[in-house]
Amino acid sequence: MSIKNSLINTENIITITPSGFADAAIQLFNYQHTHNIVYRQFCDALRVNADDVQTITQIPYLPISFFKSHRIQTEIWDKEELLFESSGTTGEITSKHYVKEAAVYEQSLMHGFTLQYGSPEDYAILALLPSYLERKNASLVYMAQQLMKASGHPDNGFYIKEWDELQARLQQLIAQGQKVILLGVTFALLDFAEHHPMDLRNVIVMETGGMKGRREEWTRVQVHDYLKQQWQLNAVHSEYGMTELLSQAYAMADGIYAPTNTMSVLIRDVNDPLDVTSSGTGCINIIDLANINSCAFIATEDIGKVHEDGTFEVMGRMDHSALRGCSLMAV
């Protein structure tokens, strides 16, 4: 990506620091307002003058549903390197995120993960992702693939329902003193834990959300308490991401997410979508600077709470929104 006469470029965005985030977001807003036709039309419909936008709370946030009905891209380009597509029931319109440059996503992922957890090379990474592995263009699968590639550990692998094999691999790696991340969609972790209780206190168990009608919907506290009980864990980690985003947030305990450096979470009023604040409780808005070539300013359908330090909790879904694979009730 190149933005003429701007301090913004891919390297600067991937390595952005908190002190430079707001300025970068405003610059990116002006760039996308000029070069993203759908986003500009949305801003025009709200009668927002780009020159009047001076703070991140004044930026218009594009409803996430636009990724279902429009091709969201900044500047004109015909071929994307990646396509991320959300899950959906038969006949349901799915979200599509056209990713012009895979390197932007990969660099953002690795930089953000390393800031939170250290080098992927330190870990063996096992992924329990049934249903996601069985369909094309799942961003969660691609994320796991990239982390495994960066890890390079020979025992990295994907699992659908090979629970005995997964248990044996975990126990082998634990015995070797190897640091392990078990990354899994929520319903699959619960199923695995039900049938294979064991001591995983030295393993990072990271749930990514996703009940999707596979089990009775549990709250986050219920999910985490059950996993801790079955696997003798002190804490359950969580990952927050979605098809429409290229950045992630991670929670190391208790569902308190810390966004990676390219991401910031704000709150909009439930009844007034233009009333946006940097903290409080309401609907979640996200700035994802890694969405350079799509739209960096997203109004999600999640309800949450943002704390003064920028960490946040996900408390559920808006009542009218469709059930999605990445949703997980938190209260």
Side-chain angles (χ1 to χ4, degrees), residues 317-329:
R317 302 283 291 167
M318 293 171 62
D319 290 342
H320 67 272
S321 63
L323 179 64
R324 293 178 45 172
C326 63
S327 68
L328 174 65
M329 294 297 291

Side-chain angles (χ1 to χ4, degrees), residues 25-26 29-30 33 39 43 48-60:
I26 294 297
F29 161 72
N30 285 303
H33 182 271
Y39 184 55
C43 293
V48 171
N49 185 333
D51 293 336
D52 294 334
V53 175
Q54 302 295 320
T55 69
I56 58 176
T57 57
Q58 294 173 317
I59 293 172

Side-chain angles (χ1 to χ4, degrees), residues 95-152:
S95 288
K96 291 182 173 64
H97 190 178
Y98 300 92
V99 183
K100 181 182 179 183
E101 300 174 79
V104 176
Y105 172 75
E106 293 163 6
Q107 292 170 23
S108 173
L109 168 66
M110 294 305 161
H111 191 78
F113 179 90
T114 300
L115 286 175
Q116 297 278 359
Y117 288 98
S119 172
E121 295 179 358
D122 295 338
Y123 299 94
I125 299 172
L126 310 180
L128 185 58
L129 302 175
S131 78
Y132 287 82
L133 284 171
E134 297 156 3
R135 63 181 178 84
K136 295 181 179 179
N137 303 324
S139 59
L140 180 57
V141 173
Y142 192 80
M143 182 187 84
Q145 288 173 334
Q146 294 307 306
L147 290 174
M148 289 180 190
K149 180 180 177 181
S151 159

Side-chain angles (χ1 to χ4, degrees), residues 206-275:
M206 183 183 296
E207 54 91 4
T208 66
M211 297 294 278
K212 198 174 165 51
R214 297 299 187 104
R215 299 174 61 112
E216 176 187 354
E217 195 81 7
W218 284 13
T219 67
R220 176 192 55 78
V221 172
Q222 287 176 307
V223 170
H224 286 207
D225 283 350
Y226 185 75
L227 294 179
K228 286 191 285 188
Q229 169 192 307
Q230 294 294 95
W231 288 338
Q232 302 178 41
L233 300 168
N234 294 320
V236 176
H237 294 229
S238 305
E239 183 267 345
Y240 180 86
M242 57 185 69
T243 298
E244 301 84 359
L245 301 178
L246 298 187
S247 297
Q248 299 76 35
Y250 300 101
M252 295 188 177
D254 302 323
I256 308 296
Y257 291 94
T260 54
N261 65 308
T262 53
M263 178 181 178
S264 183
V265 178
L266 299 94
I267 289 295
R268 71 181 186 275
D269 186 86
V270 174
N271 298 311
D272 182 0
L274 300 182
D275 182 2

Side-chain angles (χ1 to χ4, degrees), residues 142-176:
Y142 192 80
M143 182 187 84
Q145 288 173 334
Q146 294 307 306
L147 290 174
M148 289 180 190
K149 180 180 177 181
S151 159
H153 196 283
D155 290 324
N156 292 339
F158 286 94
Y159 295 83
I160 296 178
K161 203 173 180 178
E162 304 87 353
W163 291 341
D164 292 341
E165 180 183 347
L166 178 55
Q167 180 182 37
R169 182 62 51 85
L170 284 165
Q171 292 176 335
Q172 176 189 15
L173 290 167
I174 292 168
Q176 294 170 355

